[in-house]
Amino acid sequence: MSVFPALATPNDSTPMAPTFLLVGMPGLAAVPSWWTMPLIIVYLLSALGNGTVLWIIALEPALRRPMHFFLFLLSVSDAGLATSLMPTLLGLALAGAHTVPASTCFLQMFFIHIFSVMESSVLLTMAVDRALAICLPLHYPALLTTSVIQKISLVIAFRCLGLHLPLPFLLAHMPYCHPQVLTHSYCLHPDVARLACPGAWGALYSFFVVLSAMGLDPLLIFLCYGLIGRMLQGVGSKEDRWKAGQACAAHLCAVLLFYVPMILLALISHLKLPIPQHAYTLLSYIHFLLPPLINPVLYSVKMKEIQEKIFKRLHPRKVGCTQ
């Protein structure tokens, strides 16, 4: 017997969906504690890690280079993304709350996509930063001035808000002809838009938003690393190439963590690959929750100055007595 209440039939199209139904982790409905505790632990650890990065960059005057500012923005997007997911995830895990009002769904969808596009934009900006630092080291300080970084921040903010601010209003006034069951444990605009009646142009705008951000950014990041690889090929010593690779390692890992699960989810959805629902749901959790958990660890380990400043703040006397 279905765990969902009765749904609207295809003939019952309405200008606005009163509720949506979320999908939890299959097979764990009877034992929610099994996936409640990992969710809470992952969220608390990611909040601690990103909070530490934000705290150390904000307090340390030495961490004022462009890469540190972009890392600050990355931690903001990671913390915001993980926080945006928690209301419906915890509602499902703790109370079995599959039903979510449309207004709540649209609000969560707005913040999830704002922080997703912010993260994608910051990863692209960090790739450009690395390309400039390696390919044009002499011109790097003149190219990324404080004024330029401020303008980049404004562009990222405008991109996030400009792309996604219209979507909740468009989706709220679209007619829905399909049963309002979403395929995730949270609200995403492509997931909501697919339930609209045929011919609803809001679904086309939703597709344009996804393509303009999540489709374009990985290509531009790939182009940046292509330029870096071309620059390093046959230029400089083996040690120089090793140092350049180390400088890019954390960012490359962050890019793979964010985009690989997203691309796999898109391929599974569009090609309708026959995989178990629990594997699909788990992959969606990995896409949204793993980067906020791993990124602070990656950058704290790979960027020695971040690591040293954290230890200095936590153990000031011990660090001061060394040397």
Side-chain angles (χ1 to χ4, degrees), residues 103-123:
S103 57
T104 303
C105 186
F106 294 146
L107 185 64
Q108 183 189 45
M109 175 189 70
F110 175 73
F111 283 109
I112 287 176
H113 288 290
I114 282 286
F115 288 115
S116 293
V117 172
M118 181 180 177
E119 178 143 357
S120 183
S121 301
V122 173
L123 289 173

Side-chain angles (χ1 to χ4, degrees), residues 40-253:
I40 294 174
I41 291 171
V42 166
Y43 175 69
L44 292 177
L45 289 176
S46 64
L48 176 63
N50 287 290
T52 301
V53 171
L54 293 172
W55 166 68
I56 204 68
I57 293 177
L59 288 183
E60 285 291 339
L63 303 179
R64 292 292 183 269
R65 289 187 293 170
M67 193 63 178
H68 298 129
F69 178 74
F70 299 142
L71 178 57
F72 186 91
L73 294 182
L74 184 66
S75 292
V76 170
S77 63
D78 276 336
L81 184 57
T83 302
S84 300
L85 294 169
M86 283 301 108
T88 53
L89 288 182
L90 292 180
L92 276 168
L94 297 174
H98 288 273
T99 303
V100 57
S103 57
T104 303
C105 186
F106 294 146
L107 185 64
Q108 183 189 45
M109 175 189 70
F110 175 73
F111 283 109
I112 287 176
H113 288 290
I114 282 286
F115 288 115
S116 293
V117 172
M118 181 180 177
E119 178 143 357
S120 183
S121 301
V122 173
L123 289 173
L124 173 58
T125 306
M126 294 171 88
V128 173
D129 173 81
R130 292 297 86 197
L132 291 175
I134 293 172
C135 299
L136 299 170
L138 298 179
H139 300 282
Y140 177 78
L143 291 172
L144 280 182
T145 61
T146 302
S147 175
V148 171
I149 292 173
Q150 290 173 349
K151 291 175 183 176
I152 291 173
S153 303
L154 288 175
V155 169
I156 291 175
F158 178 78
R159 187 191 194 199
C160 295
L161 292 173
L163 283 175
H164 287 93
L165 193 58
L167 271 174
F169 301 100
L170 288 173
L171 294 175
H173 293 89
M174 285 167 54
Y176 291 88
C177 301
H178 303 282
Q180 292 144 9
V181 181
L182 303 178
T183 57
H184 296 283
S185 304
Y186 34 80
C187 298
L188 301 176
H189 66 70
D191 206 15
V192 174
R194 70 178 176 81
L195 304 177
C197 296
W201 65 276
L204 294 177
Y205 181 78
S206 174
F207 176 75
F208 164 75
V209 169
V210 173
L211 190 62
S212 63
M214 301 306 185
L216 181 62
D217 291 358
L219 293 177
L220 294 177
I221 291 172
F222 177 78
L223 176 62
C224 288
Y225 275 101
L227 293 174
I228 291 173
R230 184 177 179 182
M231 180 68 185
L232 294 177
Q233 188 177 16
V235 176
S237 64
K238 185 177 180 181
E239 184 180 355
D240 292 335
R241 291 195 291 272
W242 171 255
K243 289 181 179 178
Q246 286 293 97
C248 297
H251 179 256
L252 272 173
C253 291

